[in-house]
Amino acid sequence: MKYMDHAGNPFASLSPTVWRGSTVVFDTFEDFVSRKERQPDGYSYGITGTPTARGLERRIADLEGAKHCVLMPSGASALITTVMAFVRAGDHLLISESCYGSLKTFSRQWLANMGVDVEFYPPTIDAEIEALIRPNTKMICMEAPGTVTMEMQDIAAITEIAKRHGVLTMLDNTWASPLFFRGIEHGVDFVVQAATKYFSGHSDVLMGSVSLDNFELYGVLREAQSIFGQAVSPDDCFLVERGLQTYALRLKEQGQKALRIARWLETVPEVKEVLYPPLESHPGHEIWKKHFKGPGCLFSFVLQAPPSEEQFGVFFNALKEFPIGASWGGTHSLIAYYPASQQATRRFSPTDQSIIRVSIGLEDEEILREDLQQALAAYSRILY
Ligand SMILES: Cc1ncc(COP(=O)(O)O)c(C=O)c1O
C-alpha cells in the first residue's frame, strides 16, 4: 500500500497498513454532517471499520467471486447477524439440522421466542425443500458438508428453488471455502466463512465474513453489522491477511492428507464408519464430486461402540499428537468428541453413535497416522 509521510517521502511495503481508530475525523462541518451517506462502503465511525477492514473485505469478496463483503468478529456472529438483519417476527425460517450449533441454538431459543417460525429441515432434503416453502418463508440457512455429521446438500438445487420463490439463502461455506466451492456462482445470496478456520489458519484469531452480490442487501447487512456493534479489530484483520497468503497452499496440502488418512481409517477394524463426502462410500459423494473442487481437512468417524461411553477416553487420552479441541482448519491437527446423547437431540442424524471429529493440520502425515494407530490399538484392548 502506497503512503506519503508528513514530509512527502513515499513509502511502500508488502504488508497492509494497520489503521486503528475508534472514530473517524472529518475536514469540514459539511463532511461530518453527510458522514452517514458514505455507507455502506465509506467511513463514518470506527465500528464499521477502517481501510484495514475494507482491504480485507475486498480481498475476501474477490476470493468468493462476490461484489461485496462484510467482516464480523467471528463466524458465529457472521451467521447470526445475517439472519438478524433480514428475518422478522411472522417470517418462516428454514434451517438445516446440520448447521453450526450456535446458529441452531440462536434460532431455537431466541428467534422462535421473538415470533419467528423456525423449522429445521433434513440436511439431505435437496430439491424436496420446495414442499416446505411457505408464503412467509424468508430465508434458508444451509451448510455443506454439515457441522460434525458431514451430510452433503445440493446447494444449486436449493438456491434455484429459493430464487423462484423469492426466498433468501445463506450458506456456511467454511469447510470447502472459495477454493473448493464458490457459493455465489451457485446462486447463494450470503456466503459465510468462519475466517477463524482456514483464512486465518493459525488458531489465534476469531473472525467471520459474509460475501454477497446484491448492493441493496449489502447496505442492510452493513447497517446491521454497525447497529449490533459487530466491530473487527484491525490487528486481527492483519493476521487474517497474513493467513490468506498461504491459505490455498495449506488447504490443498491438509485436504489431501486428510483424504489419505480418512481412506486408511476406513480399513481399520475398530472404525465403524468414516463420515467424509470425498470418500466414495459417503452417501453425499456424488453431489460433492459434481460441485466441489477438493477435499476439506475436516472429517468425522464413528468407532465400534465401547462397553461404556466413558471408555472413549481410552482412545482420546492415548493420543500424543492430536490436541483435544473443538476448532479446526489451522496448521495444528485437532480432535473433538460429540457424544451419542448429542445425536439423540437431533431430529435428523446419519448416526445415533458418538462421533469423533478430526482436523488434519500440516504435521508429518506418518506421525499423525502412527499416533491414531497406537490410540486405536489401546482402544481395541477394551473392545475385544
Ligand atoms: C462450520 C462452522 N461455522 C461457523 C463456526 C463459528 O466460527 P467461530 O468460531 O469463528 O465463531 C464454526 C466454528 O467451529 C464452524 O465449525
Side-chain angles (χ1 to χ4, degrees):
M1 188 181 278
K2 288 232 166 65
Y3 174 73
M4 283 298 178
D5 79 2
H6 301 294
N9 297 307
F11 172 80
S13 118
L14 294 171
S15 304
T17 311
V18 179
W19 286 95
R20 300 195 63 90
S22 59
T23 190
V24 176
V25 292
F26 300 89
D27 281 348
T28 65
F29 169 79
E30 290 76 15
D31 279 349
F32 180 74
V33 170
S34 62
R35 68 194 184 284
K36 290 273 163 67
E37 291 161 25
R38 296 189 178 87
Q39 297 291 343
D41 269 326
Y43 308 102
S44 57
Y45 185 63
I47 215 134
T48 60
T50 65
T52 310
R54 282 302 168 279
L56 180 56
E57 286 172 343
R58 186 69 264 140
R59 184 109 188 256
I60 294 176
D62 289 346
L63 283 170
E64 300 275 16
K67 293 200 176 90
H68 313 286
C69 173
V70 180
L71 291 175
M72 307 276 179
S74 67
S77 71
L79 293 165
I80 289 167
T81 307
T82 304
V83 174
M84 282 296 281
F86 297 97
V87 176
R88 298 284 180 274
D91 288 341
H92 173 229
L93 177 74
L94 280 168
I95 169 166
S96 167
E97 182 66 73
S98 68
C99 275
Y100 180 62
S102 56
L103 177 64
K104 291 202 308 180
T105 306
F106 168 71
S107 303
R108 200 179 281 124
Q109 294 184 13
W110 276 266
L111 286 183
N113 287 330
M114 292 193 284
V116 176
D117 196 346
V118 175
E119 182 175 353
F120 290 88
Y121 70 85
T124 53
I125 195 168
D126 301 332
E128 283 166 39
I129 200 156
E130 187 150 22
L132 301 185
I133 292 179
R134 306 178 195 164
N136 63 338
T137 306
K138 184 71 190 193
M139 190 185 274
I140 302 175
C141 300
M142 308 173 282
E143 186 179 331
T147 284
V148 181
T149 42
M150 295 279 155
E151 303 94 332
M152 274 306 295
Q153 303 195 28
D154 189 337
I155 303 300
I158 295 175
T159 55
E160 188 273 317
I161 290 161
K163 279 204 189 327
R164 244 192 300 117
H165 289 268
V167 175
L168 295 169
T169 49
M170 176 173 80
L171 169 68
D172 183 334
N173 188 38
T174 308
W175 183 91
S177 86
L179 189 65
F180 294 149
F181 185 79
R182 283 178 137 200
I184 298 286
E185 283 171 11
H186 289 81
V188 178
D189 292 307
F190 306 103
V191 177
V192 172
Q193 300 292 332
T196 309
K197 319 295 180 193
Y198 305 135
F199 281 4
S200 69
H202 295 74
S203 312
D204 50 12
V205 185
L206 288 155
M207 198 179 289
S209 65
V210 188
S211 298
L212 68 165
D213 263 352
N214 182 296
F215 184 76
E216 212 177 303
L217 299 179
Y218 172 50
V220 175
L221 188 63
R222 176 70 75 198
E223 186 184 37
Q225 178 255 311
S226 160
I227 295 299
F228 298 146
Q230 302 281 39
V232 291
S233 144
D235 299 290
D236 288 349
C237 291
F238 177 89
L239 288 173
V240 175
E241 285 264 9
R242 180 141 80 184
L244 282 176
Q245 293 185 25
T246 55
Y247 135 74
L249 277 176
R250 283 186 278 108
L251 178 51
K252 281 183 203 159
E253 168 74 11
Q254 291 174 230
Q256 288 304 323
K257 211 187 292 183
L259 182 54
R260 288 190 293 270
I261 292 176
R263 276 200 204 294
W264 164 71
L265 279 173
E266 275 198 306
T267 68
V268 169
E270 291 79 20
V271 174
K272 192 166 173 221
E273 192 182 5
V274 182
L275 306 171
Y276 190 43
L279 293 175
E280 293 74 8
S281 58
H282 191 272
H285 180 71
E286 287 309 315
I287 299 176
W288 177 82
K289 205 164 74 175
K290 186 167 162 209
H291 296 299
F292 283 48
K293 296 201 172 85
C297 75
L298 185 77
F299 65 85
S300 296
F301 63 97
V302 177
L303 287 175
Q304 304 293 351
S308 71
E309 182 91 16
E310 311 81 68
Q311 286 170 306
F312 280 112
V314 172
F315 168 74
F316 278 88
N317 293 331
L319 289 165
K320 296 184 180 70
E321 305 294 334
F322 286 84
I324 304 170
S327 196
W328 56 278
T331 57
H332 294 90
S333 294
L334 279 171
I335 196 158
Y337 173 66
Y338 301 91
S341 55
Q342 195 170 319
Q343 311 322 316
T345 63
R346 298 170 67 112
R347 286 192 56 212
F348 316 99
S349 176
T351 177
D352 57 0
Q353 310 277 301
S354 298
I355 294 180
I356 296 171
R357 192 182 71 170
V358 181
S359 176
I360 299 296
L362 285 176
E363 304 91 337
D364 184 276
E365 186 173 334
E366 267 324 292
I367 292 176
L368 293 179
R369 195 187 301 235
E370 279 166 21
D371 194 35
L372 287 168
Q373 203 157 22
Q374 63 81 25
L376 286 165
Y379 181 74
S380 175
R381 287 192 279 279
I382 56 156
L383 277 186
Y384 308 111

